[in-house]
Amino acid sequence: MHRPRPAVGVSVAVLIVAGVMSGGGTGRASADPGSAGTLYVNHDVACSDTGAGTQSAPFCTVQAAADVVEPGQTVRIEALDDQTYSESVTLTRSGTKDAPITFTGAPINVGGSWSELDSSGSGPALTLKAVHDVRVDHLAVWYRGGDGVAVTGSEGVDLDRLSFPRPAVRGPGAGTAVTVDGASSDVTVSRNWIGDGYAYGVRVEPGAARVTATTNVVTTPRLGGIAVTGTSDANVTSNTVLAPCAPGISLDGGSSGTVENNVVASTTARQSDTCPAPTAPLYTVSADSATQVTADYNVAANGAPGATRPRPEYSWAGAPYATTAALRDATGQGAHDMDGLNMLSVTAPREHSVLIDSADAGAPGELASDIHGVPRADDPLVADTGTGETTRPDRGAIERQNTFTVPADDMPSPSSGVAPFVVSLRTDDATTSWGKPVTAYSVDFGDGSAPVTRAPGAPITHTYATPGTYRATLTVTDTDGSSYIAQPRVVAGTTTPPAASLSGAVVSNVYGEVDAGDARFTVPQPADPWEIAQRFLTFGDGDSEGLPNTPQQVEHQYQAPGTYTATLTQRDLIGRTTTAKVIFHAADAFLPVTPPHDTKRTIAAHGVLKLSAATLGADADGVDAAQLQIVTSAAKASGSLTLYTDGTTRPGTSSISFEPGRTATNEATVEVTPTGSVDLYNGSSGAVTVNVATLGIQSHTQFGRTYHPATPVRLFDTHPVAGGHSVMLTVAGAHGVSADANAVVLNVTATTTKGSGSLTVSPASTINSGVRGPYWTTGQTASAQVVVPMTDGKVELHNTSRSSANLIADVVGWYGPTTSGSVFQPVSPVRILNTHTGAGSGRIAKLGAHATLKLKVTGAHGVPASGVSAVDLNLTVPSPSGTGYLIAYADGTSRPGVHSVDFTTKHTVANRALVKVGTDGEIDLYNAGSTPVDVYADLLGDYAVHPVG
């Protein structure tokens, strides 16, 4: 399990006061972790639990090493990948007094991380079972419900410099960080950092002997900080216990021993299940232990002088004592104890604190170094009030140290550059707060070169020849041997910064449908990932995401259609920046609506009909447009309807033209929001009845189908169909249409009509799910473009007239679940061609008989300049002076025989046309009639083939 590194006391990081890392200890021997007698555990490399445990072929698990370790050997548990060793380890093998067994998770270099052991169940992470002469140090132990480390039936055990972060499992019954059972003896628990939430920090059970708990920090224990029961010769020395929810230090059950140099700070917590006794005494010695325990030089940080004491400071032989003076007067214990202090956090004493140099240096279990491994130091700014022949330590687990001031120019400078480059640092201006002279500068440049040590004086220079990031180690030492350790990073960069690379694709599902507003960006790992300090991806819509230096796939849902530039920015460790960009066209995929949503209304002259998205069945999240079919009837006067988005200015376009005595139909696309409405304006001087049906929706957040415009191909050619009869046509898998197409766009035409009527186009074998149109009168040729869903690849043409008509059907495109198709982007309706005014054509002139007009449709009005495969148009021929039809097709291709708009003398007619676009961004409009006509073209949207560029 990946976890952040635990806080191990005061951070030993860059620019800290660290002291001598090897100082102190319990006095027991330990094998050199770099010696030939070392077993290695490293799960970050090729490892084996059946091998020899060498550095080149280490064990994978700690247990494998524990099963074979011999006296005198050291088990080095390496932490290289920031991953814990998730296992519960039991050691049953012992060392000897002259050749102990050592387990260490110490970092391989100064400032590195300790190794982490995480219990794999509810038992202890580490159990030392019936062993002797064993040392365990520098491990972070994660708690899972049982104890952290359990010592059972063992002797001669040292547990030093362990860290117990806050438990992963929390509750009133949280376990103990370190447990020593009653069958164990000669156990030292030293310099451990025990985080919040454990029931007990250290617990010693009845029957144990000669147990020392020294220089530990325990924060917020729930049932006791250090609890010793029935133990002979126990030493509790120089510990710091903060905010216990029970006694901080207790000895009971007939225990004997000493309690010296400790600091216990009170809490103002309220009683709860997890804090059962927040008013218990800070120190407790039971009646059966009081005659065998000596206590002195302890601190009860229980509030400032004169303040109300939140809890008793002592319970001695069953009697409570509110202050140190009361204890001293009644029992003679605590002759040098202190109170009248506040302590809110665990830190080194502030300069001039009464805790400094006031402890008993000869207390049993007192160490020569504090919890961080730095030596106990004599502060010359504070008068010594403790005891001892030489250095008098501070009370508690953390020692006040000489403070070094090392200017920035005493660090390697410059800190980065292109390899090879030279760094230098001064060695003559470091000072200390205690006035101790600096005697030596030592620099390990971290690149394998020999360290340089010299007295203060001339600068030290060094050349970094090979690109890389290095952790230099600067050690400044004073006359007392106290040290300041800084670990500045030095970066030797490559000649050119790592190149940035970014690609993208539209997101699709297992069915091949696309979410046309959802982008998946692929970011490969850079060539030199170590060199990247930061990289982040901005999506072009205000959102961004920081990225690690590993290969990434990032998915981003755009909230509106549009063209966005996504940018990957990489900044390397020496400040150089590289970028990569891709353009993503967030658009819409098509979802047919079957059966259509119908609504029928009458619109007064110059009136507006508002239709909500819910009424249209277009109120789903992410819907941007609806494809509608409009049928007009019972018109009182000639005119046209304009369809547009509610709340916007009514455009100068028309969606359908109508006149009295005739039924008209047309399809149209309109922008819509899920919570908005669309307006239908009646531009006529008389009322008209409309039936509006939703045939499909376009959404940028739902998986839908893509569009494939086709060069028109004849599907059914001028065959008479009797009135009331139908003809079934196979579409999918034929005529260039994919076999998995599930909707088709047809141009359907009725000619040689023997009576008035209309045509319905439906999915095969369905009822009430057809698309209407065209309508005709006797002898009229009429056409319409329709979008028809398909369930089995077939559509049905039904002649609703009582008389026969010759029918024509041409395929102009199809929708299907394929990512190679085009996606839709709606635009606000705009008239891009008006031959009557010259708009779009460049001159005022009708389209001549048998003449062709080229119309540029890309690069304006929101339509991209490239990548457009088709445009969604409404074509209108106003009041023609003759009969004929228009053909709309891609420029640069052969003119097909389709009827895009059929017109008759003096009857204005409009038809929707999804028109394939030529490679030059133009379409052609051909007048197949014998008289010139005016032509209007209204743009409703476009289909583009490139979601990413």
Side-chain angles (χ1 to χ4, degrees):
M1 179 179 295
H2 178 81
R3 288 199 182 95
R5 287 291 169 187
V8 185
V10 177
S11 175
V12 183
V14 179
L15 304 182
I16 59 165
V17 178
V20 181
M21 299 301 292
S22 60
T26 61
R28 289 191 172 272
S30 61
D32 177 6
S35 68
T38 300
L39 301 178
Y40 290 88
V41 181
N42 184 357
H43 57 187
D44 193 36
V45 298
C47 57
S48 171
D49 279 346
T50 60
T54 62
Q55 189 168 16
S56 59
F59 294 121
C60 301
T61 65
V62 180
Q63 186 64 59
D67 290 341
V68 298
V69 64
E70 297 288 345
Q73 287 188 316
T74 292
V75 175
R76 172 172 283 284
I77 307 164
E78 298 195 55
L80 301 178
D81 63 355
D82 202 27
Q83 297 288 322
T84 63
Y85 289 86
S86 183
E87 52 181 305
S88 295
V89 178
T90 299
L91 177 67
T92 59
R93 300 172 71 85
S94 298
T96 67
K97 289 184 178 181
D98 295 329
I101 286 174
T102 299
F103 281 74
T104 183
I108 57 178
N109 47 45
V110 175
S113 297
W114 294 2
S115 296
E116 299 178 19
L117 190 62
D118 183 357
S119 62
S120 56
S122 60
L126 175 63
T127 300
L128 305 181
K129 185 176 181 180
V131 300
H132 57 83
D133 298 291
V134 171
R135 176 182 174 86
V136 182
D137 63 49
H138 292 89
L139 276 176
V141 180
W142 291 89
Y143 164 79
R144 283 279 169 187
D147 295 338
V149 176
V151 180
T152 63
S154 299
E155 62 177 326
V157 171
D158 291 345
L159 303 176
D160 186 45
R161 299 292 299 275
L162 307 181
S163 169
F164 297 84
R166 176 175 294 182
V169 177
R170 310 198 64 189
T176 299
V178 177
T179 296
V180 179
D181 79 345
S184 297
S185 60
D186 297 294
V187 176
T188 299
V189 182
S190 59
R191 299 187 299 181
N192 300 297
W193 195 286
I194 300 172
D196 298 353
Y198 289 90
Y200 295 91
V202 179
R203 189 176 187 183
V204 185
E205 298 177 343
R210 298 177 299 283
V211 176
T212 297
T214 178
T215 323
N216 302 286
V217 168
V218 184
T219 60
T220 319
R222 298 182 178 187
L223 301 180
I226 299 174
V228 179
T229 301
T231 300
S232 60
D233 296 325
N235 299 313
V236 182
T237 306
S238 290
N239 301 284
T240 297
V241 181
L242 178 66
C245 287
I249 294 174
S250 63
L251 280 77
D252 59 20
S255 295
S256 62
T258 62
V259 180
E260 287 202 54
N261 298 346
N262 300 286
V263 176
V264 179
S266 65
T267 177
T268 57
R270 295 182 179 180
Q271 186 173 9
S272 66
D273 288 345
T274 58
C275 192
T279 58
L282 300 182
Y283 295 88
T284 297
V285 178
S286 65
D288 56 5
S289 301
T291 59
Q292 306 172 91
V293 173
T294 300
D296 204 0
Y297 292 94
N298 297 298
V299 176
N302 198 29
T308 300
R309 298 289 194 262
R311 58 203 292 181
E313 293 178 353
Y314 302 92
S315 173
W316 194 275
Y321 298 97
T323 65
T324 59
L327 173 71
R328 183 167 51 249
D329 293 344
T331 67
Q333 298 284 346
H336 301 89
D337 282 12
M338 296 178 181
D339 59 7
L341 301 172
N342 279 322
M343 181 179 292
L344 301 178
S345 60
V346 182
T347 59
R350 294 182 179 181
E351 193 65 85
H352 305 294
S353 168
V354 295
L355 303 182
I356 296 174
D357 295 348
S358 64
D360 177 9
E366 180 66 33
L367 302 182
S369 61
D370 76 352
I371 191 170
H372 301 305
V374 297
R376 296 291 188 175
D378 185 23
D379 185 344
L381 305 182
V382 176
D384 293 345
T385 58
T387 62
E389 294 182 0
T390 54
T391 300
R392 291 171 174 82
D394 301 344
R395 302 193 192 197
I398 304 175
E399 183 81 3
R400 176 75 188 185
Q401 294 291 316
N402 189 6
T403 301
F404 286 73
T405 300
V406 180
D409 56 6
D410 281 16
M411 300 295 162
S413 180
S415 60
S416 64
V418 176
F421 78 104
V422 178
V423 300
S424 64
L425 65 154
R426 295 181 60 174
T427 63
D428 58 1
D429 52 1
T431 59
T432 69
S433 62
W434 292 351
K436 302 288 185 179
V438 171
T439 59
Y441 283 75
S442 179
V443 186
D444 183 339
F445 290 98
D447 59 355
S449 60
V452 176
T453 300
R454 66 176 54 167
I460 299 173
T461 61
H462 180 73
T463 299
Y464 285 94
T466 305
T469 178
Y470 303 96
R471 184 66 71 183
T473 301
L474 169 66
T475 304
V476 182
T477 308
D478 67 9
T479 53
D480 284 345
S482 294
S483 297
Y484 165 98
I485 297 177
Q487 287 197 296
R489 184 180 65 180
V490 179
V491 178
T494 56
T495 303
T496 57
S501 178
L502 178 67
S503 61
V506 67
V507 173
S508 61
N509 62 18
V510 294
Y511 305 105
E513 298 171 319
V514 301
D515 181 346
D518 196 357
R520 180 178 290 117
F521 297 102
T522 299
V523 184
Q525 180 171 294
D528 292 297
W530 63 267
E531 197 169 2
I532 301 300
Q534 180 188 39
R535 70 176 179 170
F536 56 92
L537 181 61
T538 57
F539 301 105
D541 60 354
D543 287 347
S544 62
E545 184 173 333
L547 303 178
N549 295 344
T550 53
Q552 299 291 309
Q553 279 203 335
V554 181
E555 190 170 318
H556 183 70
Q557 177 72 62
Y558 287 94
Q559 297 306 306
T563 298
Y564 302 91
T565 300
T567 304
L568 173 67
T569 301
Q570 292 184 167
R571 185 171 295 110
D572 72 7
L573 293 172
I574 61 176
R576 300 174 296 184
T577 298
T578 55
T579 61
K581 300 176 184 289
V582 297
I583 296 174
F584 186 81
H585 301 275
D588 293 319
F590 178 69
L591 292 85
V593 175
T594 306
H597 286 258
D598 281 276
T599 183
K600 189 173 184 179
R601 301 284 193 279
T602 296
I603 310 176
H606 305 295
V608 175
L609 171 63
K610 292 184 182 296
L611 298 173
S612 69
T615 300
L616 297 173
D619 54 342
D621 182 47
V623 174
D624 298 307
Q627 288 195 19
L628 308 178
Q629 182 172 72
I630 304 170
V631 179
T632 64
S633 61
K636 303 302 183 184
S638 297
S640 64
L641 298 178
T642 299
L643 180 67
Y644 60 102
T645 306
D646 184 56
T648 64
T649 302
R650 185 173 72 243
T653 59
S654 63
S655 302
I656 186 171
S657 298
F658 55 85
E659 57 189 65
R662 289 194 174 196
T663 300
T665 182
N666 197 18
E667 292 189 7
T669 301
V670 61
E671 287 188 273
V672 64
T673 62
T675 58
S677 301
V678 299
D679 293 350
L680 199 56
Y681 170 72
N682 179 8
S684 168
S685 60
V688 64
T689 298
V690 298
N691 192 95
V692 180
T694 305
L695 307 179
I697 57 174
Q698 302 277 7
S699 173
H700 71 272
T701 63
Q702 301 181 60
F703 285 103
R705 304 166 186 181
T706 58
Y707 181 57
H708 300 255
T711 299
V713 60
R714 185 61 44 91
L715 183 64
F716 188 71
D717 190 3
T718 324
H719 289 284
V721 177
H725 286 71
S726 300
V727 60
M728 192 73 68
L729 305 177
T730 298
V731 180
H735 313 287
V737 179
S738 172
D740 57 5
N742 41 30
V744 64
V745 182
L746 297 177
N747 260 52
V748 288
T749 304
T751 186
T752 317
T753 53
K754 303 301 183 181
S756 61
S758 65
L759 177 66
T760 300
V761 187
S762 308
S765 305
T766 60
I767 301 174
N768 297 326
S769 61
V771 179
R772 300 170 185 155
Y775 286 80
W776 61 80
T777 59
T778 303
Q780 179 188 2
T781 297
S783 61
Q785 189 175 100
V786 294
V787 177
V788 187
M790 296 184 296
T791 55
D792 59 359
K794 297 179 181 180
V795 297
E796 181 178 350
L797 307 183
H798 178 67
N799 180 4
T800 65
S801 173
R802 294 181 179 180
S803 304
S804 67
N806 283 8
L807 302 182
I808 304 171
D810 297 292
V811 176
V812 297
W814 53 273
Y815 292 92
T818 57
T819 58
S820 60
S822 301
V823 288
F824 181 70
Q825 185 160 292
V827 300
S828 298
V830 59
R831 183 152 288 175
I832 61 173
L833 174 67
N834 186 336
T835 58
H836 184 69
T837 63
S841 63
R843 64 191 183 96
I844 300 174
K846 294 185 177 182
L847 177 56
H850 308 297
T852 300
L853 182 152
K854 294 182 182 296
L855 177 63
K856 182 75 170 179
V857 294
T858 60
H861 309 296
V863 179
S866 61
V868 176
S869 63
V871 287
D872 191 348
L873 300 177
N874 194 62
L875 300 177
T876 302
V877 178
S879 300
S881 58
T883 299
Y885 58 93
L886 296 182
I887 300 175
Y889 61 101
D891 185 54
T893 65
S894 298
R895 185 172 68 244
V898 299
H899 291 215
S900 298
V901 183
D902 281 284
F903 53 86
T904 56
T905 304
K906 297 183 180 180
H907 295 288
T908 298
V909 63
N911 264 2
R912 182 199 189 191
L914 286 179
V915 185
K916 190 175 183 180
V917 176
T919 57
D920 56 2
E922 295 184 344
I923 65 170
D924 292 349
L925 299 173
Y926 173 72
N927 178 8
S930 57
T931 58
V933 293
D934 276 318
V935 180
Y936 305 153
D938 298 330
L939 176 68
L940 306 177
D942 66 84
Y943 284 89
V945 297
H946 61 302
V948 180

